[in-house]
Amino acid sequence: MMYTTLGDTGLDVSQLCLGCMNFGSELPWMMNDRDASIDLIHEALDLGINFLDTANVYSTGESEEIVGDAVASANRDELVLATKVYGDMFEGPNGSGLSRKHILDQVEASLDRLGTDYIDLYQIHRWDDDTPIEETLAALDRLVETGRVRYIGASTMTAYQFTKALYTSDVEDYERFACMQPEYNAVDRHEEANLLEVCAGEGVGVIPWSPLAGGFLTGKYERDADPESGLRAAADEYTQNRFTDENWAVLEEIRAVAEARDATPAQVSLAWLLDRDVVDAPIVGPRSSDHLRENVGALSVELTDEEAARIAAPKTPRWPAPGKD
């Protein structure tokens, strides 16, 4: 396993982050089997992954409980546990959002489910139009001051919103967001001219979600063929919307590079993302040991500039998003 520091912080994280949304029973495509989920987390830890990302809303806390059980016997000092707050946790007033009350209530619930005294990275899952950002940042700052949280992060918002939050932190002397979770991969590149440009300029770490485009970039789907029953795209319109001529052209280049390198499309897709200078650690979501080991194998794939350019070429350029120096 290879490690990097998260943005401008000194926090060491594995170059792959284990996404834990799959661990739970909320949706049919999730793992459902608690013991199998714990075993997979243990295998990830054995492979050197020290960075785990979940959220309170994933299966309404079940994912956090599974992660907590899995890491109970691990060396806590080496782990970087990340979770999120914002989504609906119960019906009625104060059941969601980024108010001081909801944040302070939910962090305690997450700590309890994770079985830990502190959260390494506490992230706002979405922007809350109904709560002043000053209130949200003041609550998060308090969590850092009291030691309940080590770093704060954000996910999925506009560049204006994120810039406003960073500016507010600077002006009011609140804790600053250390990282951002955007959707980013070889076909979903809309953030290159938006959030990624802000992150690069502000020294903010980037941990992309959906690095394999909902499974599209694994190569398991075929052009002009309906997704097989049981695959995520069979019931997920968002993934199906990626089935465009432009995106198929990207996948064709990825498949060609993978064949020439004796690698898989998933490994080449992750290697392309890791080659982006702005990216720290893609969030992978394997549901089996084979998928996990395939993902880790991407760290051994180093693309040439020509290969990276071939993969990027079919998409309309959004921003230079340079490769590693």
Side-chain angles (χ1 to χ4, degrees):
M1 180 55 59
M2 293 181 281
Y3 300 87
T4 187
T5 51
L6 187 64
D8 279 351
T9 76
L11 183 65
D12 293 328
V13 297
S14 49
Q15 283 197 305
L16 291 179
C17 176
L18 182 67
C20 300
M21 185 170 65
N22 289 334
F23 307 138
S25 56
E26 183 177 30
L27 296 171
W29 50 264
M30 294 179 175
M31 288 185 65
N32 295 308
D33 187 327
R34 191 183 191 92
D35 290 339
S37 298
I38 290 174
D39 288 344
L40 191 60
I41 294 173
H42 286 167
E43 185 172 4
L45 297 178
D46 289 341
L47 289 170
I49 292 177
N50 77 329
F51 193 10
L52 286 77
D53 175 75
T54 184
N56 63 347
V57 76
Y58 293 163
S59 295
T60 319
E62 189 178 357
S63 173
E64 287 183 324
E65 291 175 351
I66 291 169
V67 171
D69 288 346
V71 303
S73 59
N75 184 346
R76 182 65 181 89
D77 292 340
E78 293 182 353
L79 291 182
V80 177
L81 297 182
T83 192
K84 311 182 200 71
V85 61
Y86 170 77
D88 293 326
M89 292 303 290
F90 56 87
E91 295 182 3
N94 301 308
S96 64
L98 297 176
S99 68
R100 179 188 297 271
K101 174 176 174 56
H102 188 70
I103 288 174
L104 297 184
D105 287 349
Q106 288 303 311
V107 75
E108 295 301 327
S110 289
L111 286 165
D112 185 58
R113 287 189 291 263
L114 290 167
T116 185
D117 294 330
Y118 66 94
I119 293 166
D120 296 284
L121 177 61
Y122 199 47
Q123 303 155 103
I124 59 171
H125 212 156
R126 294 292 187 271
W127 182 269
D128 184 358
D129 286 320
D130 297 324
T131 304
I133 188 59
E134 291 84 358
E135 177 178 343
T136 297
L137 290 171
L140 295 172
D141 186 73
R142 178 62 177 167
L143 294 179
V144 175
E145 283 187 355
T146 57
R148 309 301 265 169
V149 167
R150 298 294 192 254
Y151 300 88
I152 61 172
S155 174
T156 315
M157 60 187 61
T158 68
Y160 167 74
Q161 291 167 337
F162 192 47
T163 302
K164 180 179 180 180
L166 293 174
Y167 173 79
T168 302
S169 290
D170 293 343
V171 170
E172 302 294 340
D173 196 27
Y174 293 138
E175 186 72 16
R176 215 168 189 260
F177 288 124
C179 75
M180 164 57 68
Q181 274 196 42
E183 179 184 40
Y184 187 39
N185 54 63
V187 295
D188 296 317
R189 294 172 55 191
H190 47 280
E191 296 294 7
E192 287 182 346
N194 300 297
L195 275 171
L196 296 185
E197 192 166 7
V198 175
C199 292
E202 294 293 323
V204 173
V206 174
I207 52 175
W209 59 268
S210 197
L212 297 175
F216 177 78
L217 293 175
T218 66
K220 64 184 176 183
Y221 303 113
E222 297 296 335
R223 190 194 292 254
D224 301 324
D226 292 333
E228 295 180 13
S229 177
L231 294 179
R232 184 170 180 174
D236 184 1
E237 185 177 351
Y238 188 69
T239 300
Q240 292 177 28
N241 287 338
R242 294 186 173 100
F243 294 2
T244 66
D245 288 340
E246 189 180 51
N247 289 351
W248 284 115
V250 173
L251 184 56
E252 287 172 5
E253 293 295 343
I254 287 172
R255 282 171 162 161
V257 172
E259 183 176 1
R261 285 182 161 270
D262 193 25
T264 68
Q267 289 172 335
V268 171
S269 298
L270 289 172
W272 183 88
L273 199 55
L274 286 162
D275 190 55
R276 305 297 91 191
D277 190 52
V278 72
V279 170
D280 291 317
I283 302 171
V284 296
R287 285 183 286 170
S288 70
S289 175
D290 288 343
H291 289 159
L292 172 62
R293 290 181 178 275
E294 179 186 17
N295 291 166
V296 172
L299 298 173
S300 300
V301 178
E302 294 186 15
L303 301 180
T304 65
D305 291 343
E306 186 270 337
E307 289 170 330
R310 281 173 53 196
I311 292 168
K315 298 292 289 188
T316 302
R318 309 294 183 187
W319 178 56
K324 298 289 185 184
D325 293 332

